[in-house]
């Protein structure tokens, strides 16, 4: 679903204004000194905002992964091995100015000849594969369960409860946003008429003195928008319009029991029909930016004077388009993992997830297949502010708590401020089922058509860790995938502070209570530990 920068702003506005409802180096061991450092109290600079996940907690007082420090002090001019990272996502703009030099090309396939030159079953898979074909919008999994009409389905009752709750929530939200959008649009029109121009300024709005009630309310609305980092009323109208588009997509497609999104002609209930889709791995819409953003976090070309730096400098990205605007199919995910493994990927990033998974065994079998073939699988923990030890999030790597893979890493998201607000409020967590945390809120990266944007989610934290895994596999290629996971788990910074969990100030726990390793990922430490393990 499309990310809206100020999605919560409109609800706050509605409530406030209108009464609506609502190597050789020393391994850093921070136990003795992290909690003694001064907290970052000033706002992040633009440079810090664009790079905070690469900064160093001790030096910069920002909880990044010490990536820049790793390059300066460890990697320097070392020549590593190329690492192939598969990004299972919504498609990648492989022509992006900051990614095009780091895109994998299948040298065994001749482009555009309509033949399966490498005999892997996929015709013209030059840069990966697209299991969605021309598809984009899809239902959520629990909606598919209801739409099947199978009331004996083991998840039917839970799916109906979830649907009833979510449909009511999004219907109410649409009503709220329709009202807010009209109010803000009318206020902008009134202020435009008052000033005789569209590009009126905040200062000009503040100077309005009037007895006219409508103009006074327009001033009040505009000032509230300005106070929430909206630069102009035109921007407010645009963002609210984008929010409404997103809400309408949720209701018209994701939550619509009658919508048919599958366009491939295959049977998603039959895992044996494997060769469907096409070789076009790019997004079908510019707004389908998620996969491009994820790819940039891993592999945006470093220090080329363009918008962003990826974590890894010696990497190629394989694009596997599998994640629609809605919930991914278990079959597509399972086959995408196997495609990545069979075509040489040593790391897979999966920035997707859902609460219902009718064929979770297919996906777990594929995760086990990746582990058996020495592939690291990095997966986002999810953005529901919930404990995934209690409430499931798929895919996972365990059956009743017993892990089936020693190379699967589940990642929660950090915010760019050390202290009680270290955890991103949206991030899932779990002492047993979330392995580590990494930068995930307010992350700047690539988006389609040579653009850049800031997005937040555990979707952004997972590729940060995939990037660290790529650094380890590049400079210490003899280490196994299981060793890479062990290093990432053990080399992070121990966090002893208490944190707000699930975005609720009523739930404050020691950081060690909500993540298996008790650590936040650190690239500098990871490379030192990898060096020692490789010896």
């Amino acid at each position: 679903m499309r990310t809206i920068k100020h999605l919560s702003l409109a609800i706050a506005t509605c409530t406030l204004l209108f009464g609506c409802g609502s190597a050789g180096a020393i391994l850093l061991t921070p136990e003795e000194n992290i909690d003694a450092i001064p907290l970052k109290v000033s706002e992040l600079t633009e440079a810090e905002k664009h790079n905070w996940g690469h900064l160093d907690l001790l030096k910069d007082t920002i909880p990044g992964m010490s990536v820049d420090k790793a390059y300066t002090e460890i990697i320097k001019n070392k020549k590593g091995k190329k690492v192939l990272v598969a990004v299972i996502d919504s498609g990648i703009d492989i022509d992006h100015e900051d990614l095009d030099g780091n895109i994998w090309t299948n040298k065994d396939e001749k482009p555009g000849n309509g033949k399966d030159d490498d005999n892997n079953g996929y015709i013209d898979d030059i840069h990966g594969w697209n299991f969605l074909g021309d598809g984009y919008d899809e239902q959520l999994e629990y909606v598919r369960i209801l739409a099947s009409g199978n009331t004996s389905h083991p998840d039917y009752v839970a799916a109906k409860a979830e649907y009833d709750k979510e449909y009511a929530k999004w219907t109410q939200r649409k009503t709220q946003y329709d009202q807010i959008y009209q109010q803000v649009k009318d206020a902008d029109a009134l202020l435009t008429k008052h000033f005789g121009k569209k590009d009126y300024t905040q200062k000009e709005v503040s100077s309005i003195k009037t007895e006219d009630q409508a103009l006074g309310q327009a001033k009040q609305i505009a000032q509230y928008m300005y106070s929430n980092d909206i630069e102009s009323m035109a921007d407010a109208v645009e963002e609210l319009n984008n929010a409404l588009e997103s809400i309408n997509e949720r209701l018209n497609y994701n939550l619509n029991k009658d919508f048919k999104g599958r366009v491939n002609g295959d049977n998603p209930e039959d895992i044996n029909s494997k060769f469907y889709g096409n070789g076009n791995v790019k997004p079908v819409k510019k707004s389908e930016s998620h996969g491009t953003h994820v790819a940039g976090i891993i592999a945006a070309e470093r220090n080329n004077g363009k918008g962003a730096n990826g974590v890894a400098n010696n990497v190629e990205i394989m694009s596997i388009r599998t994640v629609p605007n809605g919930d991914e199919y278990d079959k597509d995910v399972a086959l995408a993992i196997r495609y990545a493994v069979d075509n040489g990927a040593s790391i897979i990033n999966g920035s997707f997830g859902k609460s219902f998974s009718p064929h979770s065994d297919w996906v777990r079998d594929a995760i086990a297949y990746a582990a058996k073939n020495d592939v690291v699988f990095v997966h986002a923990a999810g953005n529901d502010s919930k404990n995934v030890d209690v409430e499931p999030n798929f895919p996972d790597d365990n059956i009743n708590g017993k892990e089936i893979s020693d190379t699967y890493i589940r990642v929660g998201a950090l915010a760019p401020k050390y202290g009680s607000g270290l955890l991103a409020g949206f991030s899932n967590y779990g002492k047993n089922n979330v392995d580590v945390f990494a930068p995930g809120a307010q992350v700047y990266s690539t988006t389609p058509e040579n653009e850049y944007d800031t997005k937040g989610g555990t979707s952004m934290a997972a590729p940060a860790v995939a990037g660290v895994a790529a650094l380890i596999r590049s400079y210490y290629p003899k280490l196994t995938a299981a060793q890479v996971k062990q290093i990432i788990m053990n080399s992070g910074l121990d966090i002893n502070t208490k944190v707000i969990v699930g975005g609720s100030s009523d739930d404050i726990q020691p950081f060690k209570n909500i993540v298996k390793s008790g650590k936040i990922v650190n690239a500098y430490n990871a490379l030192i530990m990898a060096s020692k393990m490789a010896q």
Side-chain angles (χ1 to χ4, degrees):
M1 186 174 171
R2 186 179 297 120
T3 301
I4 305 300
K5 292 181 186 175
H6 299 277
L7 197 60
S8 60
L9 166 64
I11 293 178
T13 307
C14 182
T15 304
L16 247 120
L17 297 180
F18 314 119
C20 302
S22 54
I26 298 172
L27 187 66
L28 180 64
T29 52
E31 292 91 337
E32 298 178 358
N33 51 14
I34 276 187
D35 292 312
I37 65 174
L39 294 179
K40 180 81 171 178
V41 291
S42 59
E43 289 291 320
L44 271 62
T45 66
E46 282 302 304
E48 288 172 337
K49 287 178 181 178
H50 287 181
N51 196 48
W52 79 265
H54 293 202
L55 300 181
D56 181 77
L57 180 55
L58 293 178
K59 177 176 176 287
D60 304 301
T61 68
I62 297 170
M65 301 191 303
S66 305
V67 175
D68 292 344
K69 182 178 180 181
Y71 276 96
T72 301
E73 299 186 18
I74 299 176
I75 296 173
K76 298 180 182 177
N77 296 317
K78 291 181 179 178
K79 187 174 178 61
K81 176 185 175 183
K82 279 283 186 185
V83 175
L84 180 55
V85 180
V87 173
I88 299 175
D89 215 291
S90 62
I92 297 171
D93 180 2
I94 57 175
D95 300 318
H96 193 287
E97 62 179 8
D98 227 356
L99 291 170
D100 54 1
N102 291 334
I103 299 298
W104 172 70
T105 297
N106 182 0
K107 295 181 174 61
D108 295 327
E109 193 80 7
K110 295 177 182 178
N113 68 355
K115 297 180 181 179
D116 180 20
D117 300 293
D118 59 0
N119 296 312
N120 69 352
Y122 298 94
I123 296 171
D124 288 338
D125 57 326
I126 306 302
H127 302 294
W129 192 252
N130 172 14
F131 284 97
L132 300 180
D134 296 327
Y136 174 65
D137 294 305
E138 267 294 349
Q139 295 168 314
L140 298 174
E141 191 64 67
Y142 56 84
V143 179
R144 291 198 281 258
I145 292 171
L146 294 183
S148 73
N150 180 10
T151 57
S152 63
H153 191 287
D155 290 325
Y156 187 89
V157 173
K160 186 175 187 310
E162 185 70 11
Y163 173 82
D164 290 344
K165 180 185 73 173
E166 288 296 302
Y167 190 81
K169 180 179 80 175
W170 286 94
T171 302
Q172 181 187 27
R173 187 168 289 181
K174 175 173 168 54
T175 301
Q176 291 174 343
Y177 273 66
D178 279 336
Q179 181 182 359
I180 298 161
Y181 176 71
Q182 194 60 53
Q183 293 277 7
V184 172
K185 190 176 177 181
D186 289 349
D188 180 44
L190 193 56
L191 290 169
T192 297
K193 181 179 179 181
H194 174 75
F195 290 114
K197 59 181 181 179
K198 284 288 293 180
D199 57 344
Y200 54 87
T201 66
Q202 295 185 32
K203 185 176 180 180
E204 287 173 327
V205 171
S206 297
S207 69
I208 291 175
K209 294 181 180 179
T210 182
E211 299 295 325
D212 185 288
Q213 185 176 355
L215 184 59
Q217 187 181 41
K219 174 184 176 181
Q220 181 186 5
I221 293 170
Q223 288 182 314
Y224 186 79
M225 290 293 169
Y226 297 145
S227 72
N228 282 275
D229 297 325
I230 301 289
E231 293 184 2
S232 71
M233 286 291 280
D235 287 346
V237 170
E238 181 181 3
E239 288 207 15
L240 286 167
N241 183 62
N242 289 341
L244 270 170
E245 283 186 18
S246 183
I247 291 167
N248 286 330
E249 284 179 359
R250 177 68 66 156
L251 289 169
N252 294 338
Y253 306 123
N254 307 150
L255 291 170
N256 183 352
K257 288 184 283 188
D258 296 322
F259 178 68
K260 306 295 184 185
R262 194 74 167 172
V263 297
N264 284 321
D266 71 297
N267 179 5
E269 302 300 314
D270 179 9
I271 191 65
N272 295 309
S273 62
K274 301 177 180 179
F275 306 114
Y276 54 91
N278 60 52
N280 179 15
V281 298
K282 298 180 70 171
V284 298
K285 293 183 179 181
K286 183 179 179 181
S287 60
E288 192 181 1
S289 60
H290 190 275
T292 305
H293 199 271
V294 165
I297 294 170
I298 301 168
E301 297 170 30
R302 291 186 60 82
N303 304 319
N304 63 353
K306 295 177 181 174
N309 280 340
V311 173
N313 67 335
N314 228 353
V315 67
E316 290 182 333
I317 295 293
M318 174 193 290
S319 176
I320 310 180
R321 186 170 180 266
T322 309
V323 182
N325 178 36
D327 276 346
E328 60 281 353
Y329 283 88
D330 293 331
K331 173 183 174 179
D332 294 348
V333 172
L335 294 179
I337 293 170
R338 290 178 179 272
Y339 176 92
V341 174
D342 292 343
N343 288 278
S346 63
I347 298 163
I348 299 171
N349 187 85
S351 288
F352 54 83
K354 56 187 180 180
S355 298
F356 292 82
S357 182
H359 299 293
S360 58
D361 54 327
W362 293 351
V363 183
R364 271 194 295 270
D365 287 347
I367 292 172
Y369 181 72
K372 181 180 178 182
N373 285 275
D374 195 41
V375 177
V376 178
F377 185 93
V378 185
H379 177 233
N383 305 324
D384 302 308
S385 307
K386 70 183 186 183
N387 184 345
V388 293
D389 293 348
V390 178
E391 300 180 70
N393 180 269
F394 299 97
D396 58 29
D397 70 332
N398 66 84
I399 302 173
N400 298 323
K402 184 178 180 181
E403 293 186 349
I404 50 88
S405 166
D406 57 359
T407 71
Y408 169 97
I409 307 172
R410 183 180 280 182
V411 187
L414 300 175
K417 185 173 182 180
Y418 185 73
S420 62
L422 179 64
L423 255 63
F426 55 75
S427 182
N428 288 349
Y429 55 94
K431 178 65 175 175
N432 297 321
N433 287 305
V434 175
D435 295 305
V436 290
F437 274 75
Q442 303 167 40
V443 177
Y444 186 76
S445 184
T446 47
T447 54
E449 300 183 12
N450 295 334
E451 294 181 4
Y452 302 83
D453 200 2
T454 299
K455 297 180 184 290
T458 57
S459 285
M460 285 66 245
V465 176
V468 175
L471 286 178
I472 297 169
R473 302 213 86 169
S474 173
Y475 293 98
Y476 305 98
K478 293 183 179 179
L479 295 175
T480 67
Q483 287 174 314
V484 172
K485 175 180 178 177
Q486 181 184 349
I487 289 166
I488 289 172
M489 293 275 288
N490 294 343
S491 66
L493 302 185
D494 282 294
I495 299 299
N496 296 316
T497 189
K498 291 184 177 181
V499 294
I500 296 170
V501 178
S504 171
S505 57
D506 294 329
D507 188 358
I508 299 176
Q509 300 182 44
F511 183 80
K512 292 180 182 298
N513 285 9
I514 52 93
V515 58
K516 183 181 286 189
S517 67
K519 301 176 190 293
I520 63 175
V521 173
N522 189 273
Y524 176 81
N525 280 5
L527 289 175
I528 295 169
M529 188 173 286
S531 174
K532 293 178 178 179
M533 189 175 287
Q535 294 171 8

